[in-house]
Amino acid sequence: MNPSPAILSPLPSVPSRPATPEAEWLDIAARTPDACRQAVAAVVREHGPELAAHFYGAMMADRDAAHFLDHTIVNERLRGSMTRWLEEVFAQELRDEAQAAAVVAHQRHVGEVHARIRLPIYLVARGARVLKAAIYSRLAERNLSPQDHLRALPYVGQVMDLALELMSAAFVRNSERSARADEAYRLFSLGQNMSVERERQRSVLLEWGQEVLFMLHRPSSRAVLPNLAHSEFGLWLNHKARMMFEGSEELGQIQDIVERVDSALLPQLRVADPAAPQLNALVGEFYGELDSLKFLLSSLFERYLEVENGRDALTRLLNRRFLPSVLSREIALYRGESQGFALLLLDIDHFKNINDGYGHDAGDAVLQQASALVLNAVRSGDFVFRYGGEEILVILVEVNADAALRIAEGIRQKFDAGEFLISDGRTLHVTVSAGVAQFDGHPDYQYLINRADAALYAAKQQGRNRVCQAPEG
């Protein structure tokens, strides 16, 4: 049987692509009859909230997408944002280069946000497909001629596809940058003075073991023996070691021992009869687990060389470039049912006056001493960054809002009570203002930083040398 002429007919030629996305957006609009564009604009104008609700309903029903959206602020704000986005991309009056440039820039910004919250690109594509189908359905209800209806459908598809393409390009670009930063942070973590860090962690592990054994000899304390996972060592293991030594065999073995101690050994020690022979056996097992942990720690650290890099040259705090990697990881840990965390943003009050009145060397000395004060005031599982200029940012892991506020206030009091040494034996009284923001589930870490920054600004406005807490939501 010979194929029909229709099958043999050539495909339509592919038009040459305009030089810029802005020109391409305008070209799509120019090639679409006004009646078609008006119909689509009317659909999104009249049914925008309904389309947005349909979109988020479909996404919330998807298990992969739900945890990115299961947050009151995200849900409420994004419905309105989606409505405005539809009106923007299908704007009937989009006619000139400046308007097109603004629309293109917005699509790229959306892609950057998706990369920042690590929303998989396939979920964005799935959402676009849901929206297309909903708009097609609404178009079918309008009083369009068959020809205009056929022209309106590809217009919707081309606009959505171009928007998705721009988002995807920005997503990939920013994801690659984040991946490089993640790897750089991991390499930087491995480049710390490993012998010092090893001894520090061996020391805090030993202190925890001694505390447990001391409490065993006090019947009133036995019922509240502290879990290893929530100890100083446990915080370091969960929030830093897991990134520093990702994939290492020893790390998995250490985590297994911690889980075994907390879930099996400590519960038995809490209820064991002090006079029973069983207690001695349990204590022996406890010592054995501690010895195993110390051996595995030594093996873990010995794998890596000491290379000092990646810190701020003046303060020796973490470099700001690693902040997105650490925050993204903390957010991922929170989704895994970790306890909450908080941001503390500190700013040295009247720092410009120090530089102007005593010289930049004095300013540098104050910054160095301030950094050391903050480092000594937080736990080994917390992260301390030089955020910029005289600002220091702290990620307080596994804390609630009240605990974060107490830590911030404690740091402020240490500044206020002390003196900072500058040249020629002179001292200065230095104070700080601080903003605290508790992580509330919003997937975009920049939202959390902005809340901490707003709280810091409030502290400055209220007279400095004080701590302000960002309101929830």
Side-chain angles (χ1 to χ4, degrees):
M1 179 182 295
N2 292 328
S4 68
I7 295 177
L8 292 177
S9 61
L11 292 171
S13 60
V14 178
S16 59
R17 181 169 181 169
T20 65
E22 292 83 0
E24 186 168 5
W25 206 296
L26 292 173
D27 183 62
I28 292 172
R31 289 187 284 106
T32 305
D34 284 345
C36 302
R37 296 179 63 237
Q38 289 171 7
V40 175
V43 164
V44 300
R45 186 172 58 250
E46 295 169 14
H47 302 285
E50 175 190 336
L51 292 169
H54 175 71
F55 170 83
Y56 284 111
M59 297 301 279
M60 287 296 292
D62 186 296
R63 185 175 60 183
D64 294 338
H67 74 266
F68 289 98
L69 304 171
D70 191 16
H71 183 274
T72 302
I73 296 173
V74 176
N75 214 324
E76 291 176 353
R77 290 186 178 178
L78 288 188
R79 286 175 185 258
S81 296
M82 173 61 73
T83 303
R84 292 189 295 274
W85 178 81
L86 286 168
E87 293 175 354
E88 175 191 63
V89 296
F90 292 113
Q92 182 181 340
E93 68 278 4
L94 186 62
R95 294 292 186 183
D96 61 52
E97 191 82 14
Q99 290 176 317
V103 174
V104 167
H106 188 208
Q107 310 319 301
R108 289 172 173 154
H109 171 71
V110 172
E112 291 170 0
V113 173
H114 290 164
R116 201 156 62 219
I117 68 175
R118 306 198 177 193
L119 176 68
I121 195 66
Y122 76 89
L123 291 177
V124 181
R126 182 179 300 167
R129 181 160 52 87
V130 168
L131 273 177
K132 281 183 191 178
I135 294 173
Y136 291 161
S137 176
R138 286 303 181 189
L139 276 173
E141 299 170 358
R142 301 197 76 82
N143 188 25
L144 287 174
S145 69
Q147 184 177 7
D148 282 344
H149 185 257
L150 289 176
R151 297 289 293 275
L153 297 181
Y155 167 67
V156 172
Q158 289 168 8
V159 167
M160 294 281 286
D161 290 347
L162 180 53
L164 185 59
E165 179 183 323
L166 291 166
M167 291 180 196
S168 300
F171 176 93
V172 170
R173 187 165 56 249
N174 283 269
S175 294
E176 288 174 349
R177 188 182 302 127
S178 296
R180 289 194 298 269
D182 285 348
E183 183 59 21
Y185 176 73
R186 184 170 180 272
L187 294 174
F188 155 75
S189 299
L190 296 175
Q192 301 311 294
N193 190 321
M194 290 298 179
S195 61
V196 172
E197 187 65 25
R198 177 188 61 193
E199 293 310 311
R200 182 181 184 186
Q201 295 311 320
R202 284 170 62 94
S203 175
V204 297
L205 182 61
L206 180 61
E207 288 176 4
W208 174 84
Q210 289 175 336
E211 180 184 7
V212 169
L213 292 174
F214 177 76
M215 294 175 72
L216 277 176
H217 291 87
R218 298 175 61 188
S220 61
S221 301
R222 182 173 298 176
V224 290
L225 293 177
N227 278 1
L228 182 52
H230 297 146
S231 69
E232 185 94 357
F233 172 79
L235 293 178
W236 171 83
L237 177 69
N238 195 38
H239 294 273
K240 287 191 175 178
R242 284 173 62 177
M243 178 174 283
M244 292 166 63
F245 306 113
E246 186 176 9
S248 65
E249 181 180 350
E250 292 91 347
L251 181 62
Q253 294 172 338
I254 290 172
Q255 290 172 323
D256 287 343
I257 291 176
V258 171
E259 183 177 352
R260 189 161 61 245
V261 167
D262 284 348
S263 64
L265 190 53
L266 287 180
Q268 294 180 71
L269 286 169
R270 291 184 182 111
V271 299
D273 184 348
Q278 180 195 17
L279 181 60
N280 288 334
L282 289 172
V283 170
E285 186 179 347
F286 180 78
Y287 273 120
E289 297 289 25
L290 283 183
D291 288 341
S292 296
L293 282 174
K294 287 186 284 188
F295 173 78
L296 288 168
L297 266 182
S298 296
S299 300
L300 191 64
F301 278 101
E302 286 169 5
R303 286 176 174 267
Y304 301 97
L305 301 173
E306 297 179 13
V307 181
E308 191 75 10
N309 59 29
R311 288 192 180 274
D312 175 68
L314 176 64
T315 64
R316 311 304 295 155
L317 300 180
L318 286 170
N319 193 303
R320 178 175 172 169
R321 67 181 288 216
F322 301 129
L323 182 59
S325 301
V326 177
L327 281 175
S328 295
R329 186 172 182 84
E330 288 302 314
I331 290 172
L333 285 172
Y334 178 85
R335 292 189 191 122
E337 298 183 359
S338 168
Q339 293 186 39
F341 69 96
L343 280 196
L344 167 59
L345 192 56
L346 298 150
D347 185 270
I348 298 174
D349 294 328
H350 303 295
F351 187 73
K352 185 177 184 299
N353 293 345
I354 297 174
N355 279 332
D356 293 345
Y358 299 93
H360 287 276
D361 287 344
D364 288 349
V366 168
L367 272 175
Q368 289 172 328
Q369 293 169 74
S371 301
L373 186 156
V374 175
L375 275 172
N376 290 330
V378 300
R379 303 157 299 172
S380 60
D382 299 322
F383 299 84
V384 186
F385 296 82
R386 184 179 182 186
Y387 190 63
E390 66 274 19
E391 288 186 333
I392 296 172
L393 185 147
V394 185
I395 301 176
L396 299 168
V397 302
E398 297 196 16
V399 293
N400 58 29
D402 290 338
L405 192 60
R406 284 196 302 272
I407 293 170
E409 179 59 24
I411 293 174
R412 187 203 64 78
Q413 291 175 6
K414 287 179 185 293
F415 272 88
D416 197 23
E419 294 290 329
F420 285 70
L421 183 66
I422 57 174
S423 59
D424 301 327
R426 293 176 296 174
T427 60
L428 288 177
H429 178 237
V430 177
T431 62
V432 290
S433 300
V436 183
Q438 185 73 17
F439 178 66
D440 61 2
H442 196 293
D444 186 354
Y445 59 79
Q446 189 59 52
Y447 173 78
L448 180 62
I449 294 174
N450 292 345
R451 289 177 59 226
D453 190 57
L456 172 60
Y457 180 77
K460 292 283 189 182
Q461 292 295 105
Q462 294 174 25
R464 295 182 170 84
N465 190 22
R466 66 188 63 228
V467 177
C468 284
Q469 193 167 28
E472 294 184 7

